Amino acid sequence: MAVPGAETETSVNGTVGSEAAVPPEQQNQQQQQQPPPPNAWQVIKGVLFRILIIWAISSWFRRGSTPQDPATPTGAPRPPSRNLFPRDTLMDLHIYLSEKESFTEFNSTSAVFWEQRDLVYGDWSSGANRDGCYEQYSDIQVPEGVQNNGSFYIHVFLTKSGFHPDPSQKALYRRLATLHTSRMLNKYKRRRFLKTKNLLTGETEADPEMIKRAEDFGPIEIISHWHTNLTINIVDDHTPWVQGSVPPPLDQYVKFDAVSGDYYPILYFNDYWNLQKDYIPINTSVSTLPLRVTFCPLSLWRWQLYAAQNSRSPWNFLGEELYEQSDEEQDSVKVALLETNPYLLALTITVSIVHSIFEFLAFKNDIQFWNSRQSLEGLSVRSVIFGVFQSLVVLLYILDNETNFVVQVSVGIGLLIDFWKITKVMDVKLDRQNKVAGIFPRVTVKDKSTYVASSTKVYDDMAFKYLSWILFPLLGCYAVYSLLYMEHKSWYSWVLGMLYGFLLTFGFITMTPQLFINYKMKSVAHLPWRMLTYKALNTFIDDLFAFVIKMPMMYRIGCLRDDVVFFIYLYQRWIYRVDPTRLNEFGTSGEAPTDLPAQDGPASLTNGQEVSGPPKPEEDKKKD
């Protein structure tokens, strides 16, 4: 039984995230506890970044790959093929439904779903809407096996007019006049159960039935789902394809006849616009299911777009779900394409690309700044250490909540970079004399001399002392609130969830120590302004779309508070002008060296004799 990688996760109290399976009262509780779904702006940024990374890495691994062999076994090149159904061919459509993957029940009337006679290949003007499309809707009886998580298949036969798809009817069956393709109608999705409870009272708001299913089936249950709509496209294509040289991913759809070498018409099951939220679970209480099948022609270039979008990732050897978007992200992209104004959508995509470029440039300049830094004067070392703590909490949190592997890798790389920064702002050494347990070298960490000898350390400690007066009371209040009113899997999950939520809400406060140091030193020359500029531009872009696209209020507040902090930086840069005579960490200044001006007074040395006073008048010289 094939199981696609789609998942349906339960809420934090153990209920399912599908509207069809959750009562209204429970949905309200679920909406209050679950974080808001990703919006189109965030999704488009993530999609563009993933496409860039996957394309770059896959292009590297595809270097030197062996192309398909377009030659025959004898070594002769294969001739171009032709479509077995020429344009304007009259066709008959036969659609059957069955629980079996291989269909032979042609004489069963209950298996027939739709028969449409005298269709014209390449006709774009017939049908009810004059677009070449035909539609069939019916309520079908659900077999008992399908009710119990079994598979249900649709079998589509396309024959030339006057022929029959049943091979047992020798007089009416022709192999080269019959095209058959099939697909599983239902879709298997994983449903996860998160056993949560109030850690103080031990009570939970989860549905008792869901708790029992979690005990019976384990934390992950595979459930069959159904969607009402399915589109079958016949591609209007007569390209002279050569067998063995059809480019991927089109090669998996073009079927060649083994004897004649020609290819059959391309039938494509198109469910791209079926949103995940519209799938309904199938169980023993479901006796009938609606099904609407649409048969439409499709142009070659549009089919290529759909095929490329639905193609599998080249990284399947690393896992089925690796580099695949979650169902919510896919729905967000589709809804954005369907409902967003085309001009606004084009602007969003363009700015998303610019945003990704700025993120890369900020990352590059941040690495360059810390790699070339020789002095720590004016920089908050404690903020760098606290950044490592923040990244570690985020990584542990997403690992505890089983987030997408790509997100885990990106956060892990960010944590490694933060650890690397520690080696730049502090002296990290291995003490091989005093080993831990007599085996492992002891790691010693101490402040750099340029940091200790400067007034920056005093200001940094002072800033974090004042900051602790604000952070610790807020942390205590948030911890009590989380413990009293939220449900958690364990005490470990409560600690991570509490710290993660606190950092998201009040993490911007950790940017203020650098402002305090700038104020005390009356200088901003030590800051990485190039990196800050790129990040500020990204923040302004976020501001623009935070009010154009529907987003959570907390996200908008987050953009606003980052703007406030950066404007304070800009104000400090304006009032603390850069002094060109000030020596930087390399011992140089921005002032060009100049020669000493010529003086009318005495030279410092004349023939080894020191001139101690001003020149004497002529009358005094005569007296001498």
Side-chain angles (χ1 to χ4, degrees):
M1 180 173 61
V3 181
E7 291 189 5
T8 300
E9 290 194 3
T10 61
S11 67
V12 293
N13 61 4
T15 55
V16 184
S18 174
E19 295 181 2
V22 183
E25 302 82 18
Q26 215 159 328
Q27 289 181 13
N28 294 334
Q29 300 169 356
Q30 178 179 344
Q31 292 174 358
Q32 294 176 359
Q33 297 182 3
Q34 280 190 334
N39 51 71
W41 164 235
Q42 294 170 316
V43 168
I44 291 175
K45 287 196 300 181
V47 169
L48 291 174
F49 182 74
R50 292 183 187 182
I51 290 176
L52 177 63
I53 296 298
I54 294 175
W55 173 82
I57 301 177
S58 59
S59 299
W60 172 268
F61 278 94
R62 277 203 295 256
R63 291 181 180 178
S65 59
T66 304
Q68 301 180 18
D69 186 12
T72 61
T74 60
R78 297 181 186 271
S81 303
R82 63 180 180 87
N83 196 325
L84 288 170
F85 286 44
R87 192 180 300 275
D88 298 330
T89 299
L90 289 179
M91 306 176 297
D92 295 336
L93 177 66
H94 307 264
I95 296 181
Y96 303 89
L97 303 180
S98 174
E99 296 181 64
K100 299 179 180 179
E101 188 173 2
S102 178
F103 185 77
T104 56
E105 304 169 356
F106 292 97
N107 297 324
S108 175
T109 56
S110 61
V112 178
F113 176 78
W114 186 15
E115 288 187 347
Q116 184 73 31
R117 306 286 182 179
D118 296 332
L119 297 171
V120 180
Y121 190 18
D123 179 17
W124 292 77
S125 58
S126 62
N129 298 323
R130 299 297 179 183
D131 55 359
C133 295
Y134 297 84
E135 183 179 292
Q136 175 71 9
Y137 178 86
S138 178
D139 290 327
I140 60 176
Q141 297 295 324
V142 182
E144 182 179 355
V146 178
Q147 291 178 335
N148 293 286
N149 238 23
S151 301
F152 205 33
Y153 294 90
I154 180 172
H155 295 270
V156 180
F157 292 88
L158 196 64
T159 65
K160 292 183 179 179
S161 185
F163 292 94
H164 197 274
D166 187 3
S168 63
Q169 300 186 24
K170 304 296 184 182
L172 299 176
Y173 175 78
R174 294 293 183 274
R175 177 177 55 82
L176 297 181
T178 305
L179 168 63
H180 168 238
T181 185
S182 63
R183 174 187 168 147
M184 188 168 60
L185 279 175
N186 57 321
K187 181 177 182 179
Y188 292 99
K189 303 173 69 176
R190 296 179 177 91
R191 181 168 61 182
R192 297 180 180 272
F193 295 96
L194 303 179
K195 296 181 180 179
T196 60
K197 62 181 179 180
N198 188 295
L199 297 178
L200 295 179
T201 63
E203 298 178 355
T204 179
E205 298 179 357
D207 187 359
E209 181 182 352
M210 293 299 170
I211 297 177
K212 185 177 183 302
R213 293 183 69 89
E215 295 174 351
D216 295 340
F217 298 100
I220 300 178
E221 182 183 6
I222 297 176
I223 299 179
S224 178
H225 286 71
W226 182 270
H227 200 284
T228 305
N229 300 322
L230 178 64
T231 300
I232 303 173
N233 290 126
I234 180 169
V235 181
D236 188 7
D237 171 47
H238 298 273
T239 304
W241 300 109
V242 177
Q243 186 175 359
S245 62
V246 180
L250 309 182
D251 54 346
Q252 57 183 311
Y253 301 101
V254 182
K255 299 180 180 179
F256 290 89
D257 180 68
V259 178
S260 65
D262 296 328
Y263 65 93
Y264 292 93
I266 301 168
L267 286 181
Y268 179 70
F269 291 102
N270 192 352
D271 61 351
Y272 179 78
W273 300 108
N274 290 353
L275 302 181
Q276 299 294 328
K277 64 183 182 65
D278 295 331
Y279 280 86
I280 57 177
I282 303 175
N283 50 45
T284 54
S285 63
V286 179
S287 58
T288 61
L289 286 171
L291 179 61
R292 176 182 288 104
V293 177
T294 305
F295 183 83
C296 280
L298 185 68
S299 61
L300 177 62
W301 73 271
R302 290 187 62 186
W303 168 60
Q304 291 175 330
L305 291 178
Y306 284 124
Q309 179 64 28
N310 292 329
S311 62
R312 289 180 173 268
S313 169
W315 305 99
N316 286 336
F317 65 92
L318 293 178
E320 180 69 23
E321 297 175 11
L322 186 61
Y323 297 107
E324 290 194 8
Q325 297 168 268
S326 65
D327 296 340
E328 292 79 10
E329 289 178 336
Q330 293 182 22
D331 279 4
S332 299
V333 173
K334 295 173 185 178
V335 170
L337 294 175
L338 289 172
E339 300 180 359
T340 307
N341 182 281
Y343 298 103
L344 179 59
L345 184 63
L347 177 63
T348 302
I349 295 176
T350 303
V351 177
S352 299
I353 297 175
V354 176
H355 192 283
S356 300
I357 294 174
F358 284 159
E359 282 185 347
F360 173 77
L361 292 176
F363 168 78
K364 179 182 73 70
N365 284 277
D366 190 28
I367 296 296
Q368 289 179 344
F369 174 81
W370 290 104
N371 191 40
S372 60
R373 192 72 182 176
Q374 301 295 329
S375 173
L376 298 177
E377 183 179 2
L379 296 175
S380 176
V381 174
R382 299 294 179 263
S383 296
V384 177
I385 298 175
F386 195 83
V388 174
F389 172 73
Q390 285 183 300
S391 300
L392 181 61
V393 170
V394 173
L395 179 61
L396 294 177
Y397 177 81
I398 64 176
L399 290 176
D400 185 59
N401 288 271
E402 300 179 0
T403 315
N404 186 275
F405 180 76
V406 176
V407 178
Q408 296 176 3
V409 171
S410 61
V411 174
I413 293 175
L415 178 61
L416 293 178
I417 294 175
D418 288 336
F419 275 121
W420 172 78
K421 287 183 181 179
I422 292 292
T423 65
K424 293 297 180 179
V425 300
M426 304 187 76
D427 286 328
V428 181
K429 297 180 180 179
L430 292 178
D431 186 0
R432 302 184 183 276
Q433 302 297 328
N434 303 318
K435 296 184 177 180
V436 179
I439 302 176
F440 304 103
R442 187 182 300 274
V443 180
T444 60
V445 180
K446 65 178 182 179
D447 293 327
K448 287 182 176 292
S449 58
T450 57
Y451 177 70
V452 175
S454 65
S455 58
T456 304
K457 177 176 173 57
V458 178
Y459 299 147
D460 202 4
D461 293 340
M462 188 183 305
F464 265 84
K465 182 182 70 173
Y466 296 151
L467 185 63
S468 63
W469 295 352
I470 302 175
L471 281 181
F472 288 148
L474 290 175
L475 178 61
C477 294
Y478 188 83
V480 173
Y481 171 81
S482 175
L483 192 61
L484 290 178
Y485 298 103
M486 295 183 181
E487 296 183 1
H488 307 275
K489 294 185 293 184
S490 62
W491 288 99
Y492 173 74
S493 297
W494 167 71
V495 172
L496 290 180
M498 179 264 298
L499 290 176
Y500 180 74
F502 176 78
L503 292 175
L504 284 183
T505 307
F506 304 106
F508 75 100
I509 301 180
T510 59
M511 302 169 64
T512 55
Q514 186 62 62
L515 297 175
F516 183 78
I517 294 175
N518 299 342
Y519 165 73
K520 286 293 186 179
M521 299 188 66
K522 308 301 182 187
S523 174
V524 294
H526 45 268
L527 295 180
W529 280 106
R530 188 173 296 178
M531 182 268 293
L532 290 175
T533 302
Y534 289 133
K535 286 190 175 182
L537 292 174
N538 279 344
T539 303
F540 295 149
I541 293 174
D542 290 338
D543 291 338
L544 172 65
F545 285 93
F547 294 94
V548 173
I549 299 178
K550 183 179 179 181
M551 288 186 178
M553 182 56 64
M554 286 302 299
Y555 185 86
R556 295 177 176 178
I557 295 176
C559 293
L560 178 61
R561 70 194 183 196
D562 292 343
D563 290 340
V564 172
V565 173
F566 184 74
F567 277 119
I568 297 177
Y569 276 118
L570 290 181
Y571 175 73
Q572 289 183 334
R573 182 178 177 86
W574 178 66
I575 61 175
Y576 306 142
R577 301 298 176 89
V578 177
D579 183 5
T581 64
R582 179 191 178 102
L583 297 180
N584 61 12
E585 66 272 18
F586 303 105
T588 60
S589 67
E591 196 174 51
T594 57
D595 297 332
L596 291 175
Q599 298 181 356
D600 296 333
S604 57
L605 293 174
T606 305
N607 296 329
Q609 298 179 356
E610 182 176 350
V611 181
S612 59
K616 296 181 178 181
E618 292 293 333
E619 296 180 356
D620 294 341
K621 290 181 179 179
K622 291 179 179 179
K623 292 180 181 180
D624 292 338

